[in-house]
Amino acid sequence: MTTVKKQATISDVAERAGVSVPTVSRVLNQVVPVSEKRRKRVLAAIEELDYRPSAAARTLASRRSRMLSIVTSNTSRYGYAETIRGIELAARAADYTVTISVVENDDPEVVRRAVTAAFSQSPEGVIVLTFDPAGDATLRSLPTSVPVVALSGARADGVPQVLIDESTAAEELVRGLLEMGHRTVHHITVPAVHGEDGRTTGWRAALQEAGAPVPDIIEATWDPQSGRAVGRELAADPQVTAVLCGNDEIALGLMRGLVDGGRRVPQDISVAGFDDHPLSSLWVPSLTTVRQDFSELGARGVATLLAAMSDEADAGDLHTLRPEVQWRESTAVAANQ
Amino acid sequence: MTTVKKQATISDVAERAGVSVPTVSRVLNQVVPVSEKRRKRVLAAIEELDYRPSAAARTLASRRSRMLSIVTSNTSRYGYAETIRGIELAARAADYTVTISVVENDDPEVVRRAVTAAFSQSPEGVIVLTFDPAGDATLRSLPTSVPVVALSGARADGVPQVLIDESTAAEELVRGLLEMGHRTVHHITVPAVHGEDGRTTGWRAALQEAGAPVPDIIEATWDPQSGRAVGRELAADPQVTAVLCGNDEIALGLMRGLVDGGRRVPQDISVAGFDDHPLSSLWVPSLTTVRQDFSELGARGVATLLAAMSDEADAGDLHTLRPEVQWRESTAVAANQ
DNA sequence: TGCATCTCTGAAAGCGGTATCATTCGATAG
DNA sequence: CTATCGAATGATACCGCTTTCAGAGATGCA
């Protein structure tokens, strides 16, 4: 079985180096100067004993956990995973450790447990991914004992926030599609926050501005297979010539469903997604989509949170990221009927 | 700015409930009985003060952090993300919190920093994802002060391990392809652990067993675009009629590259992947691949680690998961030439 | 050389819990 | 009513580190 040898403590190091415990602490935290002579001895002792400070003891004594907590409903889906990666990178650069707590859905009890888990480590700040109802519900039930930042695609009140301006990008996409001769653009959504997400808002605005009909919204789940099911249905509807999807995974599923139903993309139907999933440019046809810089979103989230933690930010703060439309093969001029 | 009110401590609760501090601790940990009367008072006080125990203080006093640490080179790629999700779920069920530390590559300094980060929280156990060289290097430089489990696609020595038996599945895949009339099967790998991964071993074994030629291995990176580049090259080589890829993302990239080069899948060339990425069944054509249950891998990893933590496991332990071949549209009988 | 002024260092007191152990309480038996 | 014993409770001592705070050395200037 694994050999277990006891971890050295700060007093082991102090003893070995022939200095007091606080002196070791000082060389560790390098804020108060320590004479070169002792400093070297301490460093050597640390090396020899393979000493690693106990984060728990540090947290307790300093009342600073150097931890940030992420609350999210999902860790493996592309946009979430990339955002989390961005957060973890930025946090590490600022010398913070990140813990993740997962809220599967917006059930109050589930939310409560996730919040408790998030706070059990006494984080100095919390980042909530409000891409969906679960994140949204969490945001509303967070204690106010610690600074919070929301990362999202739609506005939320009372909390500093980094927002991806999905709405403008969606408008651009829809406008482009209309210019290609499509009578209107259908829209498939993923379950959104309370109210409406920016993609939907932009989509509707662009249609109305152009005087185009606004079709009923089609609701899908987060599972790409649900896009396929929708695709099979839409394949039968000759009215549909262009579809904007809430994310790329749904779009890819949709394309497959359309093919299942005997339609061709983009000759018969144009399809656009949202996110620029790493596989979307490899699809046949490659997918027109909106590139969102999720890891940048995460990094900005951390920056905003650190600002809030040092009182340099407030609840009104709003940082906006401009996503970028990528026109690719899955969209084309409308067929002459 | 965000309102900050001070967190209640255990002695606030004790005072409010009119009991001693240890009594509060006992109702919290419910291991020693407490009279119903006091118990109720304590619970009420906890509720009223919105008290949440400090994990740091607990860790320090009990020498049990209730933390598990994952070391991984990647958090957003499919297989990794799913495994991490499985770990997090299983850990939570066992009342453990999970921290992740990322090793970007196998540079010794990078590895050292990741190890330090992983250990700073005094985890009670560590899970290493040894899917690649970075994870592998980490495993070799981990201190032995804490139980470790490796999650992997190839054998590693001296550590309890959960292994996906890729080799058998790869053999099955190659054998199937040969039976479809392909002269041989080419193989594209992703950067592997030292030595060879199970996919490659199984691939070679099946070819040799059938007396088929064993082509040179083609090396790709973890980036799906590298698969596309390979595809464009292979499209020009008439010898190539079947390709086994190290993972689905490469396979999807490859298919795109083949299409770019004017070849059809599966009519001209059969392609198979590894992982059963959620999008692989939606591709056109849908991808033949090997379904790996990553979240089960994570769950088993936690189970094994918990066993090791209670001395019920040892370094020789090896649990094996049998993945399952999924035959889909991207593979077909060889064209008559 | 003497004294004020900085620097650097160590002693001591916690941070918020848990573990140990002695004590008290309450119920039962005699 | 008292003796007895187990169950419930509280006092006390840390866990490993940081944070005062005061003292010891080193340095500068008169």
Side-chain angles (χ1 to χ4, degrees):
Chain A
M1 90 121 261
T2 325
T3 328
V4 174
K5 68 163 175 256
K6 199 167 166 323
Q7 269 288 344
T9 73
I10 197 173
S11 44
D12 297 333
V13 173
E15 189 177 350
R16 173 142 198 153
V19 302
S20 72
V21 166
T23 295
V24 177
S25 173
R26 281 173 200 124
V27 351
L28 249 26
N29 299 300
Q30 39 197 358
V31 46
V32 175
V34 172
S35 71
E36 199 49 29
K37 189 184 64 179
R38 292 170 203 251
R39 181 189 177 62
K40 284 231 175 80
R41 289 218 307 271
V42 169
L43 256 16
I46 288 176
E47 178 80 11
E48 287 158 22
L49 298 172
D50 191 26
Y51 165 71
R52 302 161 200 274
S54 147
R58 275 194 159 160
T59 298
L60 192 55
S62 66
R63 290 88 171 298
R64 307 203 44 198
S65 62
R66 300 225 64 100
M67 281 226 175
L68 265 26
S69 214
I70 306 179
V71 186
T72 173
S73 65
N74 204 301
T75 54
S76 64
R77 216 165 282 288
Y78 173 67
Y80 294 83
E82 269 300 293
T83 305
I84 293 170
R85 203 174 66 83
I87 293 174
E88 138 54 40
L89 245 46
R92 185 139 45 111
D95 214 31
Y96 277 86
T97 300
V98 167
T99 60
I100 298 176
S101 68
V102 179
V103 246
E104 288 85 358
N105 55 58
D106 59 357
D107 176 84
E109 179 56 20
V110 170
V111 169
R112 208 191 54 70
R113 269 210 306 275
V115 170
T116 300
F119 278 81
S120 71
Q121 303 299 328
S122 324
E124 295 178 39
V126 176
I127 297 183
V128 186
L129 269 48
T130 56
F131 295 154
D132 51 47
D136 214 53
T138 305
L139 186 58
R140 284 159 212 298
S141 65
L142 235 36
T144 54
S145 55
V146 131
V148 173
V149 166
L151 264 33
S152 60
R155 289 268 9 209
D157 287 326
V159 169
Q161 174 178 204
V162 185
L163 176 87
I164 296 190
D165 179 16
E166 304 176 335
S167 158
T168 306
E171 280 186 54
E172 187 181 335
L173 216 34
V174 170
R175 214 153 29 217
L177 254 4
L178 294 176
E179 282 166 13
M180 287 174 173
H182 296 275
R183 206 180 114 261
T184 185
V185 175
H186 285 70
H187 182 39
I188 306 178
T189 59
V190 283
V193 296
H194 76 115
E196 188 173 275
D197 61 42
R199 284 154 292 189
T200 303
T201 309
W203 162 78
R204 178 180 295 108
L207 287 180
Q208 286 174 340
E209 180 195 302
V214 179
D216 287 345
I217 290 172
I218 303 160
E219 289 179 13
T221 70
W222 287 90
D223 180 359
Q225 296 290 347
S226 77
R228 183 178 198 167
V230 171
R232 285 171 170 159
E233 280 176 42
L234 293 190
D237 183 350
Q239 295 289 320
V240 178
T241 69
V243 184
L244 171 63
C245 300
N247 70 31
D248 283 359
E249 282 146 311
I250 296 297
L252 299 176
L254 178 81
M255 290 202 283
R256 175 70 209 211
L258 291 173
V259 168
D260 293 345
R263 309 296 296 268
R264 293 164 306 162
V265 179
Q267 295 88 335
D268 300 329
I269 299 187
S270 287
V271 173
F274 235 96
D275 286 358
D276 198 19
H277 187 288
L279 292 174
S280 64
S281 66
L282 294 172
W283 213 260
V284 184
S286 61
L287 180 68
T288 290
T289 185
V290 176
R291 169 158 173 60
Q292 315 215 54
D293 195 339
F294 289 108
S295 74
E296 173 68 16
L297 178 68
R300 293 272 201 106
V302 171
T304 305
L305 185 56
L306 293 178
M309 281 159 48
S310 51
D311 281 2
E312 287 156 19
D314 62 44
D317 276 19
L318 172 66
H319 298 84
T320 305
L321 252 40
R322 278 293 313 263
E324 208 178 307
V325 176
Q326 310 279 318
W327 293 99
R328 296 204 275 240
E329 301 164 353
S330 66
T331 45
V333 296
N336 298 327
Q337 317 210 4
Chain B
M1 79 129 272
T2 325
T3 330
V4 174
K5 69 164 173 259
K6 196 164 166 330
Q7 269 289 343
T9 72
I10 196 172
S11 43
D12 297 333
V13 174
E15 190 176 350
R16 174 143 198 154
V19 301
S20 71
V21 167
T23 295
V24 176
S25 172
R26 287 191 271 258
V27 350
L28 250 27
N29 298 298
Q30 38 197 355
V31 45
V32 175
V34 172
S35 72
E36 200 49 31
K37 188 185 64 182
R38 290 170 205 250
R39 178 187 178 63
K40 284 230 174 80
R41 288 218 310 270
V42 169
L43 257 14
I46 287 176
E47 178 79 12
E48 287 159 23
L49 298 172
D50 192 27
Y51 165 72
R52 302 162 201 271
S54 146
R58 277 194 157 158
T59 298
L60 192 55
S62 67
R63 289 87 171 303
R64 306 205 43 198
S65 61
R66 302 226 62 102
M67 282 227 175
L68 265 26
S69 214
I70 306 179
V71 186
T72 174
S73 65
N74 205 300
T75 55
S76 64
R77 215 166 283 286
Y78 172 67
Y80 294 84
E82 269 299 293
T83 305
I84 292 169
R85 203 174 65 83
I87 293 173
E88 138 56 36
L89 245 47
R92 184 140 45 112
D95 214 30
Y96 277 85
T97 299
V98 167
T99 59
I100 297 177
S101 68
V102 179
V103 245
E104 289 84 357
N105 56 57
D106 59 357
D107 176 85
E109 180 56 21
V110 171
V111 169
R112 208 190 56 69
R113 269 210 305 276
V115 170
T116 299
F119 278 81
S120 71
Q121 304 298 328
S122 323
E124 295 178 39
V126 176
I127 297 183
V128 186
L129 268 48
T130 55
F131 296 154
D132 51 46
D136 214 51
T138 305
L139 185 59
R140 282 158 213 300
S141 65
L142 235 37
T144 54
S145 54
V146 132
V148 173
V149 167
L151 263 35
S152 59
R155 291 269 7 211
D157 288 324
V159 169
Q161 175 179 201
V162 186
L163 176 87
I164 297 190
D165 180 16
E166 304 177 335
S167 158
T168 307
E171 279 185 54
E172 186 181 336
L173 214 36
V174 171
R175 218 155 24 219
L177 254 5
L178 294 177
E179 283 165 12
M180 287 173 172
H182 295 276
R183 205 181 115 263
T184 186
V185 176
H186 285 69
H187 182 39
I188 306 178
T189 60
V190 283
V193 296
H194 77 117
E196 189 173 275
D197 61 42
R199 286 153 289 189
T200 303
T201 308
W203 162 78
R204 180 181 293 109
L207 287 180
Q208 288 175 339
E209 179 194 303
V214 180
D216 286 346
I217 291 172
I218 302 160
E219 289 179 12
T221 70
W222 287 90
D223 180 358
Q225 295 291 348
S226 77
R228 183 177 199 169
V230 171
R232 285 171 169 160
E233 280 176 41
L234 292 190
D237 183 351
Q239 294 289 319
V240 178
T241 68
V243 184
L244 170 63
C245 299
N247 71 30
D248 283 359
E249 283 147 311
I250 296 298
L252 298 175
L254 177 81
M255 289 202 284
R256 175 72 207 209
L258 291 172
V259 169
D260 293 344
R263 310 296 296 268
R264 294 164 305 162
V265 178
Q267 296 88 334
D268 299 328
I269 299 187
S270 287
V271 174
F274 234 96
D275 286 357
D276 198 18
H277 188 288
L279 292 174
S280 63
S281 66
L282 294 172
W283 213 261
V284 184
S286 61
L287 180 68
T288 290
T289 184
V290 176
R291 171 160 169 59
Q292 316 215 55
D293 194 339
F294 288 109
S295 72
E296 172 68 16
L297 178 68
R300 294 274 201 104
V302 171
T304 306
L305 185 56
L306 294 178
M309 281 158 49
S310 51
D311 280 2
E312 287 157 18
D314 62 44
D317 276 18
L318 172 66
H319 300 83
T320 304
L321 251 41
R322 277 292 314 261
E324 208 177 309
V325 176
Q326 309 279 318
W327 292 99
R328 295 202 277 240
E329 300 165 353
S330 66
T331 45
V333 296
N336 298 326
Q337 315 209 7

